[in-house]
Structures are given as C-alpha cells and as structure tokens.
Amino acid sequence: MSARGVVLAGVGGQGVVLASAVLAEAALRSDFEVKQSEVHGMAQRGGAVVSHIRYGETVASPVVPLASADVLAAFEWAEALRWMPYLAPRGALVVDARRIVPPGACKDHRTWGVPYPAMDTATVAHRVADVLLIDASGIAASLGNPKTANSVVMGAVSRFLDIDDVAWEKAITRFVPPGTEELNIAAFHAGQEAGSVRPEAIPDLGLDPIQQRSYRIEVDHSWCKDCGICPTVCPEFCLAMDHAHRLVVVDEAACIGCRLCEALCPDFAIRISVGDPAVVSGGAP
Amino acid sequence: MTTTAQVREHLRGWAMPHVLCPGCAHGIVGRAFLSAVDDVGIDPDQMAVVAGIGCSSRLVGYLDFCTLHATHGRAPSFAAGIKLARPELTVAVFSGDGDGLAIGGNHLIHAARRNIDLTVVLFNNEIYGMTGGQAAPTTSVGAIASTAPRGSVESPFDACKLMIGAGATFVARAAASEPYTLARIFADALDHEGLSFVEVLSDCPTYFGRYNKLGSGPEMLAAITRSDNRIAIPLAGKRSIPTIDPPDLPPGVELGTLHREHRPVFTGRAGGAT
Ligand code: SF4
Ligand code: SF4
Ligand code: SF4
C-alpha cells in the first residue's frame, strides 16, 4: 500500500494538533509507519494551524505533496478552501461548518465587513469525491462539551481511513485531557454517524451577507471654487484637478464614502450619497 | 459629523456660493459649526449667530439661523444684548483675530469677565484678510504682512491664555484641518453654560499664504496640522524623516480643550431668566 496522506487544518485553539496526534497514534497502533509534521506559528492567536500525517507500510516524507491528500479535514470553512490544493482529485473533504474570521483579517474599507467566502460546497464539489460538511461544533455542544468538536471531525475522517475503532479509541484515550475520554469517544462515534448539513440550517454561522456599497460623488460646480483641497485629502484618488485646474471626478467607483472631502470642502460643494448596495460575498449559499 | 446634504439645510442656498476665496479654510470651520449645531440638537430658530467685520464674519450671512452682522469688534456686545433679552436662544459669535482681538479686544475680554452664556468662535489666520493683508495681533514674529513687509516684529497674542485670564469658563483651541475634532469641540462649547471661547487655527491663502510662500488651500491646511504641538514636537526630534526640517517648523501650539470651570453666568446674576 502506498502511503496515505491526511491534512488537518484549522485555527489556533481548535485542537488540530491534538487531533493529528490522535490520528498518528491510531495509525501506529494499526502497525503502520507514520510521519507527521505540523505548522502552528500563530496558533495561540487564532492563526492558521495545519498538520500533515502520512502513514502506510513505509513512509518517506512527512509532508503530504500537493494534490495527494486522501482526506482533507478542516475545522472551519475558510481553512478548507485554503488547503484545497493539497487534496487529491478524488479525495474526501470533511469540514466543520463553522466560520472563524482570522483576527488578522483586515476589514474591507468599502463594505465595512470582512469578506468571507460563501459556504457553498458546490464550489468545491467538482474537485472531490466526497464532501462532508458536518455540524461538528453543534454536535459536540449537544454532547455536553463544544471542545470535543475535533473528535467529531476525526470520527467523520475515520470513515475514509482503514484504521479500526479500537485503535482510534485507544489513541483518543491517550491524548485527550483526563476525565474527557468518554465524552471524546462519544463525540468520535457521533462524527462517524454525522451526515452532511446544509449550512443555512446551522444557526450562528454568521452568514450575514456582505454588501458592496456604492457611492455617488456630486460636485456642484457653481459652488466649487476648484481650490484643490478635496483631491489632496481623498484617500482613494477619486478626485483630481485637470490641466486647467478644474476639479474632476476621476474614479467614482473607488469612493469608499469616507466623506473626508465633504468635511474639508470649504464651499459645501461636494456631496457623497449612498448608492444601491450589491451583495459581493456571504449570503445564503 | 453630519453630511453635506444635511448641513446645507442650514445654509441660505440663494446666497451661495459664498464670497470667501478658493481654499480659505473658514468654510471648513463654518461647516463643522453647523454640524455641531445639528449634533447638539439646537432648533435652528433658537440659534442666533452674531458677527463683526471680516472674512470670517461674512460667513454668518450664509447661515439660515437668526443672524446679525454687527459693527467691527462689537459682536460680543450685540450678542450679550441678545442673550439678555432672549435668554432662551443659543447665541454664538463669529469673529476673526483682527476683529476679536484688536478692534474688539475690549468687548471680548469683558464678555469673558462677565461669563455671558455665549459661544465665541475666533477664526485665527494671523492676518487681516478682507482689508488687504495687514498684520494682526496674532501675526507670528517674522511673518510677512502688507504692513510688515520685512516680517512682523511684534509678539502675538495667545488668544486662549488671554481668555482664560479674562475669565472665560470654557476655552479650547482647534484646527480647521481636523474638522471632526473641531465639530466635537464646538458641540462641547455650545453645551457649556457660560462664556465658551474656541480659537480655530484657520488660514488665509490669499494673503498670508501668498506673502509667506505657504502655498494655496491644500498646502496651508497641511501646514496647520504641522503647527500642532502633538505632531510638531515629536517630529522635530526625528531628523531621520527627510521632509521635516526641524529649524523651519513653526512654533507649536497646544490644541484641545484647555480650560473648563463653572461660574454663575451673567444672565442669571442680572436677574434675567436663564
Ligand atoms: S468620500 Fe470623498 S474623500 Fe472619501 S473616498 Fe469618496 S470621494 Fe474620496
Ligand atoms: S474642496 Fe470643494 S471647492 Fe475645493 S475643489 Fe473640492 S469641491 Fe471644489
Ligand atoms: S482674504 Fe484670506 S481670510 Fe479672507 S476669504 Fe480670502 S483667503 Fe479667506
């Protein structure tokens, strides 16, 4: 058997590293050779965490090559998309239907929202054999401890791997915090049973539509004295002075509605109004 | 800050555009004031603005409130009369540095001494604009004016210190280049009971800017920001920033609310309703 590859991806605090230790241990107990490597630079601060596990008769490299993971298990949707290139063309994708916006994500200054990719399995379905979008966090919470979501995910992952339940249970018992073994094993089995969900069925997904606002810039040329102040303060270079030193609106589409031009126009001559919004991301899948 | 569309409700549109020069920051100050009137929620019919003579005073003619264009320097006294007769009105004074500190200096300090419940806005551009660029009581030492062709040799007033000394109970200084802060300070001043004095660092591209080679509206607005101590002092120490040449920096000034106290207001003491 050639080595099998699994990529686990999530953000700091979700238990990605623990889940990968469980998988590595379970594979070892099934008499495979196992290699594992992980990257968790900003793990404590909600940064991306990814772990590669390869197991089989013999394993050379600990790193899963691009487009060759049998299973990609993601603990939230954006991380699933981020690591998609590692999934083999006919691989299985397991995703906890959660949305975690990285704290480092800049707010988009045109929408005042954080653009987050729409949670739509159709966008990836053509590339994978199986997509399992499960409500792992919801299942874990209903079992009594939302922190066991990683065990729920691993339960779902186990459906695609040749490792028996006994090995999994022993591995879980070895690594989870003392006192939570039963709960995690229950969560694992719940994950084995979990069916795909439709994202809109999960409350608290925060799939609020993000709207791209548009703005209209109106200059009353009979009031404007072409003083040149507004082009120097506009952060988006929407305004400019032409060769005859006349004010021209050069890029209305770039306007973010900051109204700095309004506040600093000495002649009450420039007006910004909000145009019709358009949904650019998020929203019901 | 309210939008231009909202602020325009307080303008006499038929009189616009106003007479001030292109890039003169006085318009920015007027806009911030209108925004503050809205923020405080003053009924436009209960708002009275009195002006003396000068470019800044001309702004009052465009405001759709109860307005009075008074004699040179005497705006605080006309305003005091309005406040005594109609204490329910919110009364403000727009004055320039020449109008308020030279011709009307006497009226200004006595309004402060009496703590009349007025909001006095002093537009300081260091020069007489309307009358042709003469040196004002605020012109910096060395600055060129038509009456100081080789640079002013007189020490300027610190208008805020003057007004604190005279007994004003709210004294603040703000910059036209920071309209949001300016509007907030105006709102505080309008809310304050007693004489509120706000000195606004404005500009005069037409005279002061031209005589002193400070550029036009956009450049002068940027220069106002650089005269702020909060910016100028930290930057002066940083010789690594190539565009800042410390010896050329204008002397910095303190911005913000500089003084606040509570004292009985004149209208109350004089037996009028307050
Ligand atoms: S509101 Fe004015 S300053 Fe702001 S981006 Fe639009 S045009 Fe530029
Ligand atoms: S700031 Fe006002 S007056 Fe000056 S160019 Fe812009 S719109 Fe015209
Ligand atoms: S003369 Fe100076 S202060 Fe008067 S409107 Fe022109 S620029 Fe403004």
Side-chain angles (χ1 to χ4, degrees):
Chain A
M1 184 194 99
S2 65
R4 312 207 60 180
V6 179
V7 173
L8 302 179
V11 300
Q14 287 192 295
V16 175
V17 173
L18 187 138
S20 77
V22 167
L23 170 53
E25 172 80 6
L28 272 178
R29 286 180 178 275
S30 310
D31 289 332
F32 291 118
E33 189 175 316
V34 183
K35 286 199 170 134
Q36 187 250 353
S37 63
E38 65 205 25
V39 177
H40 47 99
M42 296 288 276
Q44 294 302 315
R45 300 181 191 276
V49 180
V50 66
S51 178
H52 291 211
I53 296 114
R54 297 182 81 221
Y55 69 89
E57 310 279 293
T58 55
V59 179
S61 164
V63 177
V64 177
L66 278 171
S68 61
D70 297 279
V71 183
L72 168 61
F75 291 62
E76 72 97 30
W77 178 250
E79 292 303 317
L81 296 182
R82 189 201 303 280
W83 298 101
M84 271 305 284
Y86 282 84
L87 192 58
R90 304 305 298 161
L93 173 67
V94 177
V95 194
D96 183 0
R98 304 182 64 181
R99 174 180 127 132
I100 298 175
V101 177
C106 293
K107 278 221 163 195
D108 181 89
H109 60 276
R110 297 194 63 189
T111 60
W112 302 109
V114 179
Y116 188 92
M119 195 175 288
D120 184 358
T121 52
T123 59
V124 294
H126 63 287
R127 297 174 54 187
V128 294
D130 293 283
V131 184
L132 206 49
L133 183 73
I134 58 172
D135 183 15
S137 304
I139 292 169
S142 70
L143 288 174
N145 187 346
K147 290 193 150 190
T148 60
N150 54 351
S151 292
V152 178
V153 171
M154 295 317 285
V157 167
S158 73
R159 288 145 78 166
F160 303 100
L161 300 178
D162 43 3
I163 297 173
D164 63 43
D165 282 9
V166 179
W168 280 108
E169 286 175 14
K170 284 191 174 154
I172 290 169
T173 308
R174 173 160 175 214
F175 281 105
V176 299
T180 65
E181 297 90 345
E182 297 282 301
L183 200 56
N184 275 287
I185 289 171
F188 178 83
H189 290 304
Q192 288 181 316
E193 307 296 321
S196 257
V197 291
R198 289 192 55 72
E200 67 271 24
I202 304 172
D204 196 32
L205 261 187
L207 283 173
D208 38 311
I210 288 175
Q211 295 186 329
Q212 174 77 66
R213 287 200 205 141
S214 62
Y215 296 92
R216 286 182 54 222
I217 306 171
E218 281 173 272
V219 179
D220 291 273
H221 287 284
S222 61
W223 289 24
C224 168
K225 293 178 184 146
D226 299 309
C227 71
I229 286 175
C230 57
T232 64
V233 300
C234 173
E236 302 296 324
F237 306 100
C238 304
L239 309 162
M241 304 309 288
D242 69 9
H243 61 280
H245 205 76
R246 296 266 302 164
L247 176 67
V248 281
V249 178
V250 287
D251 194 357
E252 190 175 54
C255 175
I256 56 171
C258 69
R259 296 185 193 276
L260 262 181
C261 53
E262 282 197 348
L264 285 162
C265 170
D267 288 274
F268 306 84
I270 190 162
R271 277 178 297 174
I272 304 299
S273 51
V274 182
D276 292 331
V279 174
V280 286
S281 79
Chain B
M1 168 153 311
T2 39
T3 66
T4 296
Q6 291 165 310
V7 157
R8 280 192 181 189
E9 302 279 312
H10 297 313
L11 288 182
R12 292 173 179 148
W14 51 265
M16 291 291 286
H18 56 58
V19 295
L20 304 183
C21 304
C24 175
H26 288 358
I28 300 171
V29 182
R31 188 192 188 287
F33 183 84
L34 295 180
S35 186
V37 168
D38 260 356
D39 288 346
V40 175
I42 299 169
D43 175 355
D45 292 336
Q46 301 294 310
M47 180 81 223
V49 189
V50 186
I53 301 296
C55 295
S56 52
S57 303
R58 284 295 297 266
L59 259 183
V60 164
Y62 304 95
L63 309 185
D64 200 11
F65 301 135
C66 311
T67 59
L68 177 63
H69 202 162
T71 51
H72 211 352
R74 274 68 178 175
S77 307
F78 283 88
I82 293 173
K83 189 68 192 177
L84 280 170
R86 297 283 302 277
E88 74 279 11
L89 298 184
T90 302
V91 185
V93 170
F94 278 16
S95 181
D97 45 323
D99 183 64
L101 295 175
I103 299 96
N106 206 3
H107 300 271
L108 188 66
I109 57 175
H110 289 284
R113 179 175 66 83
R114 293 175 178 135
N115 198 29
I116 301 166
D117 188 12
L118 306 174
T119 296
V120 178
V121 181
L122 189 102
F123 295 62
N124 182 359
N125 54 8
E126 296 197 25
I127 205 154
Y128 287 87
M130 183 173 283
T131 51
Q134 296 85 353
T138 45
T139 307
S140 300
V141 174
I144 313 278
S146 65
T147 51
R150 276 176 282 168
S152 172
V153 292
E154 301 171 18
S155 291
F157 266 135
D158 181 325
C160 288
K161 280 189 186 156
L162 175 72
M163 289 302 279
I164 294 170
T169 48
F170 177 102
V171 176
R173 186 184 282 124
S177 53
E178 294 181 353
Y180 293 86
T181 311
L182 186 56
R184 186 177 49 72
I185 284 181
F186 280 151
D188 287 350
L190 286 164
D191 264 340
H192 178 81
E193 199 186 20
L195 194 124
S196 316
F197 177 78
V198 183
E199 178 190 1
V200 185
L201 305 184
S202 187
D203 62 25
C204 172
T206 299
Y207 291 105
F208 198 84
R210 187 157 52 88
Y211 289 153
N212 293 285
K213 301 193 167 47
L214 292 170
S216 54
E219 294 82 18
M220 289 203 74
L221 264 190
I224 294 174
T225 307
R226 284 202 302 277
S227 71
D228 174 359
N229 255 348
R230 292 165 307 174
I231 297 170
I233 288 177
L235 279 188
K238 291 201 192 318
R239 286 170 182 274
S240 54
I241 299 177
T243 51
I244 302 289
D245 192 5
D248 285 352
L249 277 177
V253 290
E254 297 295 337
L255 297 188
T257 303
L258 306 176
H259 177 72
R260 209 170 196 165
E261 66 174 300
H262 283 283
R263 262 195 318 124
V265 296
F266 182 76
T267 37
R269 290 183 160 190
T274 46

